[in-house]
Amino acid sequence: MPHLMHLVRWLCLEGEDPALLCAQHRELRRQVPLLYALLSVNALALSYTHFAFAPRWMTVLVPGALVTVSIVRMAAWLRPAAADVPPERIVRKLRITTVLAVVLALLYVIWALRMSAYGHSDERAHVAIFIAITVIGCIFCLMHLPQAALSIATIVTVAYLSHYLLSESAVYGAIAFNIFLVTLVVARVLLNSFAAFFDLVRSRAELDRLHRQMTILAHTDALTGLPNRHAFFAELTRMGQERSAGGGDLSLGMIDLDRFKAANDTFGHLVGDRLLEAVGQRLQAISPAPGMIARLGGDEFAVLVPVPASRAMAIAEDLCVRLSEPYRIGDLVITIGASCGVATAEDGEGTHSLLYERADYALYYSKESRRGLATLYSPQLESSRLSEQAIEAALQSCDVEREMAIHLQPIFDVASGRILSVEALARWTHPLLGPVRPDVFIPLAERCGITHHLTTRLFAKALGHAARLPGDIRMSFNLSAHDIVSHETILALAHAIGMSGLAPSRIVFELTETAVVRDFALARESLHLLHTLGVRIALDDFGTGQSNLGHLNELPIDELKIDRSFVSGPKADGRRHLLAAVVALGQSLRLRCIAEGVEEADQLAHLKEIGCDAFQGYHGAKPMPIDELLRLISGRETEGDGRRAMRS
Ligand code: C2E
Ligand code: CA
Ligand code: CA
């Protein structure tokens, strides 16, 4: 009984694998029309040979009806089918085919066997041949639907075997038995080849599944589950092409987390990873549809949305706010921020790579000047991006020896007015662009990866100047964030000092806090190395960065350069009392305090009052070439000698 149920279920194609059904359908579409053609031709041939012997209804009406049904079914199978016919429809179609094939086969065989009552031995032999070739042809054509093939074989075999074995002719009995044996063999071959076909379909489906899985993995960021850089650029290209063809807006927002690196360094990489996961979850929760949010790598994300600038800015501002809400990671509560740059290609203008460059530039601007906020790419940003591009190109091919110089700005002792040291400041005059400010080209050099080259050449020039200065005057040199985390640069600087013959204690390296915190551990290592050589370290622009007192303790700092916003300029008046506090703090930590940007006499008087050690600024002297500085020094010496002579 269970076997019978199993057989019935098999015959009804119940529970068949959808992939197998699709493959069967595909193969049958090529073969079933051939089957109907074969049946029709064979039927016509049999009618033709029996035309003179059998009644008209047997040679015209019956085969006419059978051939008509066959042609209708052939046409149904030849109709173009949709690429993805649902499995339920395929099952229905295959069931109908099985039933119809069985009914037709039965009608054909009954008709053929009835025909054997007419004609002579040749005509009767034709009937036997008709049955043999038709049944074998049917089995072959229905190879991919074994349910139909075996049903036909069974019905036809039962019919002709009983007919011929019951007839008196031993020859036809033998022929029938022979056909039966061949049918058995062909049926076995069919089952074998269907099993092989089934295996092939299954392994192809498995291969497809693996391929799909691999594609998903290759396009997904493992940590956050968001689409990765690869998927993002593919989508940007796709949406960009769609927009340029059909018009419409496309906005791109680039997001960079603020203070993520510090959190990662402070709490460790495991916490850092969980923080990124949490950021990913927040981003996924606000994922716009249509559009995409992806992780491009590190703490950088991107949002791609087919909306105009105003809507994109609203999304970006919302993202910045949501990403700055505190994160609970285990027992820790961590607050970071996010800055965003937005660019829009309205009505498909521009290429997608230009859109990326613009959004990236707007992000860079946000990071530099509007931290924690979203910045929309504007015509002003466009002109500064273009001029930066020109400067960047010029910088790449810059001949440092010829185009760049070092100017020196004296740093004076507040009490005595004596020159204690000079700060080396880079000057670049490009043959076409003219003078370019260091605070413009130094960050650009960092972005295009030529900082090492620039720093080492400029330092060599600065050392050359320092060697011409009186032995009691030190020289300060500025290091950038990239310099301080590059072992190669630090070793090159140490080597250059050694080769110059100057006492390392005459060299001061100036660093901003922002540069130090980019990779605090590495920066600390480099500073300790330089300090061990005897070089002095100054914290530059103090008061503008994080002003983290921990840094003052952990780093080998000798000098504090208090930012000029405490001394001169619009904010200075309100910060005067702070200046006194910073000086007191510096002195309590035994750091020499240097006030920057002293432009007027009363500012110097105030510094004297609060006991600041040294000052730098236009009130003392502007940065100048070495020869001018040497003249200034010797002039001051002569002046000093004169005053001493007058007093004596
Ligand atoms: P900084 O280290 O804070 O250097 C002092 C800047 O303040 C210099 O600008 C100087 O000309 C200017 N300055 C001096 N006294 C006064 C004053 O009384 N009032 C005003 N308003 N400004 C004053 P400069 O030379 O344009 O340099 C800008 C920045 O570029 C420097 O800031 C420094 O961070 C960077 N820089 C310059 N040369 C180099 C270098 O060789 N390497 C690196 N990494 N950075 C450099
Ligand atoms: Ca400086
Ligand atoms: Ca400074």
Side-chain angles (χ1 to χ4, degrees), residues 9-36:
R9 275 214 302 277
W10 179 73
L11 283 172
C12 295
L13 297 137
E14 259 177 38
E16 268 220 29
D17 183 349
L20 179 65
L21 282 171
C22 292
Q24 280 178 287
H25 185 232
R26 210 172 34 243
E27 295 299 324
L28 287 168
R29 277 174 50 76
R30 292 193 298 187
Q31 287 166 6
V32 173
L34 290 177
L35 164 72
Y36 285 117

Side-chain angles (χ1 to χ4, degrees), residues 423 425 478 510 540-541 561 596 616:
E423 178 172 2
L425 295 159
N478 293 285
E510 296 191 5
D540 203 358
D541 302 347
K561 294 195 75 177
E596 297 189 290
Q616 177 180 2

Side-chain angles (χ1 to χ4, degrees), residues 403-415:
E403 294 172 26
M404 290 205 180
I406 290 287
H407 281 196
L408 301 161
Q409 185 179 29
I411 295 172
F412 301 90
D413 183 72
V414 168

Side-chain angles (χ1 to χ4, degrees), residues 299-425:
D299 59 351
E300 202 174 82
F301 298 83
V303 204
L304 193 59
V305 268
V307 296
S310 56
R311 177 80 197 102
M313 272 304 277
I315 295 176
E317 277 157 7
D318 183 41
L319 281 174
C320 288
V321 170
R322 295 220 204 167
L323 293 180
S324 337
E325 282 161 15
Y327 296 81
R328 178 169 281 283
I329 311 285
D331 295 337
L332 297 168
V333 176
I334 304 173
T335 308
I336 52 169
S339 306
C340 188
V342 177
T344 301
E346 258 141 23
D347 266 336
E349 50 99 21
T351 61
H352 45 274
S353 57
L354 185 65
L355 183 66
Y356 177 79
E357 264 178 51
R358 289 175 168 178
D360 195 40
Y361 190 79
L363 170 64
Y364 164 73
Y365 182 81
S366 260
K367 289 296 268 188
E368 293 292 310
S369 325
R370 289 167 48 83
R371 247 167 202 258
L373 300 172
T375 304
L376 182 65
Y377 192 77
S378 59
Q380 289 92 310
L381 288 193
E382 171 78 352
S383 70
S384 65
R385 185 178 71 92
L386 292 180
S387 77
E388 277 186 19
Q389 262 180 1
I391 297 172
E392 224 174 275
L395 200 55
Q396 304 265 18
S397 57
C398 163
D399 178 353
V400 179
E401 295 313 318
R402 271 192 326 136
E403 294 172 26
M404 290 205 180
I406 290 287
H407 281 196
L408 301 161
Q409 185 179 29
I411 295 172
F412 301 90
D413 183 72
V414 168
S416 67
R418 204 164 57 82
I419 296 180
L420 298 173
S421 60
V422 291
E423 178 172 2
L425 295 159

Side-chain angles (χ1 to χ4, degrees), residues 171-195:
V171 173
Y172 280 103
I175 291 175
F177 193 66
N178 204 341
I179 299 174
F180 169 61
L181 288 181
V182 173
T183 308
L184 278 185
V185 171
V186 172
R188 180 72 249 171
V189 171
L190 166 122
L191 287 176
N192 288 349
S193 71
F194 187 74

